[in-house]
Amino acid sequence: MTETTRIGAYGLVLRPGQILLCRIAPRVEKWAGWWTLPGGGVDFGEEPSAAMVREVEEETGLIVRPSGVAGLDSIVVPGGDSSTHSLRILYNTEIVGGELANEVDGSTDLCAWHDIEEVGGLRVVSLVRAALALL
């Protein structure tokens, strides 16, 4: 069995009463249609906060600045021939530029603001629930 550790960096992009979420694209078959935080994998040698800024811009069109670590989330996803341990760093953010836009040909296909109290009615990945617990 192959065991892999993956580090991801994600942005808590908020405005009063709302959180920005991205819908996972159909090409990601297992999670297509589910909502997640904007963010993604940290490249080798990349600062996690820089990865978060890069990923948020790629997925949402918004330029953000990290304003501190909101928390960490750790999850092990077992698989048949391989298991993945994902360590996910969540950053508080401040929007400093850009315009909301959907990612094209990426892992997400739609970004939208959601009322925080209504997120429980959406199909969300565990990362979103972890983020809500930090608010």
Side-chain angles (χ1 to χ4, degrees), residues 44-107:
F44 182 83
E46 185 178 30
E47 288 292 326
S49 61
M52 181 276 298
V53 169
R54 174 182 52 77
E55 287 281 348
V56 169
E57 185 175 8
E58 286 175 8
E59 293 181 359
T60 72
L62 297 176
I63 301 167
V64 298
R65 174 177 34 228
S67 58
V69 173
L72 299 170
D73 182 60
S74 176
I75 185 171
V76 174
V77 181
D81 293 335
S82 65
S83 295
T84 302
H85 177 203
S86 289
L87 178 60
R88 304 179 293 190
I89 307 165
L90 290 85
Y91 288 91
N92 291 313
T93 67
E94 175 187 348
I95 299 172
V96 295
E99 287 187 26
L100 189 61
N102 299 321
E103 184 176 25
V104 177
D105 296 326
S107 60

Side-chain angles (χ1 to χ4, degrees), residues 2 8 11 17 24-25 30 33 35 39 42 50 57 65 68 79 87 91 108-109 111-112 121 124:
T2 303
I24 299 172
K30 182 177 180 182
W35 293 90
V42 176
E57 185 175 8
R65 174 177 34 228
L87 178 60
Y91 288 91
T108 65
D109 65 358
C111 293
V124 297

Side-chain angles (χ1 to χ4, degrees), residues 13-20 95 113 116:
V13 185
L14 304 170
R15 62 186 188 187
Q18 295 187 313
I19 187 169
L20 185 63
I95 299 172
W113 292 101
I116 291 171

